[in-house]
Structures are given as structure tokens and as C-alpha cells.
Amino acid sequence: MTAATTLTEASRRLASRGVDEPGLNAQWLLADAMGVERLRLLAEPDLPVPPAALEKFEKHLLLKEQGLPLAYITGWQDFRGIRLKVDARVLVPRPETEELAGFAADFLKTRPEPLSALDYGAGSGAIGLCLATEFPGLRLTALEKSPEALACARENALALDLAGRCEFIEADTLAASGPKFDLIAANPPYIPSSVIPGLSPEVLSEPYVALDGGGDGLDVARMLVRMAPARLKKGGALVMELGGSQPPCLLASMSAEVWAEKRTFKDLNGVQRFLYGRIHG
Ligand SMILES: C[S@@+](CC[C@H](N)C(=O)[O-])C[C@H]1O[C@@H](n2cnc3c(N)ncnc32)[C@H](O)[C@@H]1O
């Protein structure tokens, strides 16, 4: 079997099972099974697929047909230049969240050192660990409600050699007192509870606690807007990712007495997805 014939057959199988982007999923799975770059499969369509790789690919293809996220099958997800270990304990980090991390990095560049950041609802540690990688002096606090997810974030910090600058806290709220941060970044669970049963099997295989944002989806987000000012250094900022159209709902609760600047901004798909607030300096 060559790479091209294997991919054609696999894409057809995935498409017939209603899997999104069947071609791309097949490419990632085959590249992972063969231990080669995905683009090499396209550049060298006649590349032979060794029997051991074919066996692994076949097993993984079956999991994909059953609706498992690609990252749970391969065990990793690239995120803004770092590779994270990802499994069923955590949400698969999304491309929109890379945009949030980019915005957070731009904000941190405006701040004097020493820098500190809180990744609230850290999951795999995606947001915080890429910031810690980009800012060698940054001290990171990763806070998580799920002990399983927190363990995953810790494993990723160790693998990236960042654990020495990280603190891991298991909690389900932001306490009013404690160290203050230059930045609080969060991608909280924001899906309204009633919407969750209708989500795709792929999303439903991710942890419920990572999805469920309560009645209108804003339980954790609202708490963060309320509590963050007490935990930000002067001029510090809260940046948050939310569902489409949710960010404007929170702006009204951010008073000018507390917040020197507040705004929402769109993701690359034009969806009003992010909230930014900076307290007075
Ligand atoms: C949407 S996921 C985001 C994970 C990761 N930050 C990312 O962007 O990929 C939300 C995370 O918040 C955690 N979480 C849910 N409710 C929480 C709460 N009340 N306090 C702290 N963490 C919470 C979940 O366990 C989950 O890991």
C-alpha cells in the first residue's frame, strides 16, 4: 500500500461515517502512524506504508469513525508553537484559543517585569504554558476545578521544562485574596447546559465540566468578571474566550470605576468571541 492509496480509501471511509474533514483527518492519522510529517504524505504519494504503521493506522481510523477527537487518538495537540499532551481528561485546545493567547502575549509585552499570569480553568495548560514559554521570566499559576485536568496541565509543564515557574491550584472559584497577577486569562466553560445534549459526539467525548457554563453559559465568566479586579495588579487585565455573541453580555457589568478599558473583539472567523478588560493603573 502507498500513502496515496491508503489515504484515498481512509478518506472515503471517514466521509461515509459523516466525519468532518475526512481527508485531513486521514492525513494526520497516517502521518502519526508512520511517524512522518503530514505534508510528506502529499509530497511523496508513492511512499510505502510499512505493515506496523498500517496496523496502527487501522486501529486509529476505527476510533475516528466512532467520533473520537483526533487529538485524543494521537495523544497530542500543537498549540501556538508548543506540543501538548492531550487526552480525555481535558478539552482539546482550539485554534480560537491560540488567538486569545496571542492577544494575552501582546498585553504582557506592555507590562514591566517580573510578570505573573493566572490561567483560570487551565485544562491541558494550553494558554498558560505557551505564555510561560514565550516569556522566560513569567510566573504562571494554573487553576483548575478538575483534578484530572490539573494533573494533565502539570504533566505538560514538566514535559516542557516549565514546572519550576508554575504553581498548580485545584479550585472552583477565584478567591478574593491571594497573589495579584498582571494577567488573568480564561477560556471558561461557556456552553448553556440545555445546549449540551445536542452537541456532536466528538464534542460530547470531551469532559462535561469543560463545556457546561450553566443556564446561560456564563456562570464562570460572570464570576471572573466580578472577582478578577481584586486579583489583578494595577493596570492588569482579564482576557476571556466565550461563545459567539456572549462577550457583549458581560460588558454592561464592568463599571468604569473599576475598569479603565473594556471591549470585546472578534476571532478570525468574525465571531464576537473575546472579552478584554484592564483595571485602572
Ligand atoms: C473550555 S475548557 C478550557 C481548557 C483550556 N484552558 C483550553 O483553553 O484549552 C474549561 C476548563 O475550565 C475548567 N473549569 C470548569 N469549571 C471551573 C470552575 N468553576 N473553576 C475552575 N475551573 C473550571 C474545566 O475543567 C476545563 O478544564
Side-chain angles (χ1 to χ4, degrees), residues 91 93 97 120-123 127 143-146 171-172 187-189 209-210 220:
L91 187 97
T97 312
Y120 190 95
I127 303 170
L143 185 152
E144 242 300 328
K145 176 177 179 174
S146 151
D172 65 359
N187 173 19
V209 65
V220 180

Side-chain angles (χ1 to χ4, degrees), residues 30-246:
L30 185 59
D32 185 67
M34 292 175 68
V36 301
E37 291 291 324
R38 180 179 67 87
L39 291 180
R40 188 161 165 218
L41 301 178
L42 307 183
E44 297 176 48
D46 292 332
L47 205 62
V49 183
L54 205 56
E55 200 179 315
K56 180 176 177 186
F57 179 61
E58 180 58 34
K59 243 190 263 165
H60 286 180
L61 202 60
L62 279 172
L63 295 173
K64 192 65 228 171
E65 283 181 323
Q66 288 158 16
L68 216 62
L70 183 67
Y72 286 178
I73 301 172
T74 60
W76 56 266
Q77 175 72 40
D78 285 335
F79 186 87
R80 213 176 137 81
I82 58 173
R83 180 156 289 192
L84 296 160
K85 170 180 169 176
V86 167
D87 56 36
R89 294 174 293 176
V90 294
L91 187 97
V92 178
R94 305 292 204 269
E96 301 85 82
T97 312
E98 291 181 297
E99 292 180 53
L100 180 80
F103 186 86
D106 287 344
F107 174 76
L108 284 172
K109 283 180 199 149
T110 69
R111 300 285 296 172
E113 296 194 346
L115 295 170
S116 64
L118 169 66
D119 182 356
Y120 190 95
S124 61
I127 303 170
L129 293 176
C130 81
L131 292 174
T133 305
E134 288 171 48
F135 295 88
L138 179 86
R139 287 211 65 83
L140 174 71
T141 301
L143 185 152
E144 242 300 328
K145 176 177 179 174
S146 151
E148 293 82 15
L150 195 63
C152 181
R154 196 191 299 268
E155 289 159 25
N156 275 319
L158 282 166
L160 292 163
D161 208 14
L162 296 170
R165 286 190 281 127
C166 299
E167 188 183 357
F168 298 90
I169 296 178
E170 188 184 323
D172 65 359
T173 193
L174 184 59
S177 63
K180 293 184 191 257
F181 305 98
D182 292 283
L183 173 84
I184 298 176
N187 173 19
Y190 55 66
I191 301 176
S193 309
S194 60
V195 172
I196 293 181
L199 297 175
S200 71
E202 190 161 330
V203 176
L204 287 174
S205 64
E206 296 182 272
Y208 188 84
V209 65
L211 306 174
D212 183 24
D216 64 356
L218 292 171
D219 284 2
V220 180
R222 236 185 251 106
M223 178 280 294
L224 283 174
V225 166
R226 201 172 57 246
M227 302 304 289
R231 298 297 299 276
L232 287 170
K233 294 182 194 168
K234 284 183 178 172
L238 168 68
V239 293
M240 241 194 304
E241 174 179 334
L242 293 164
S245 82
Q246 285 177 333

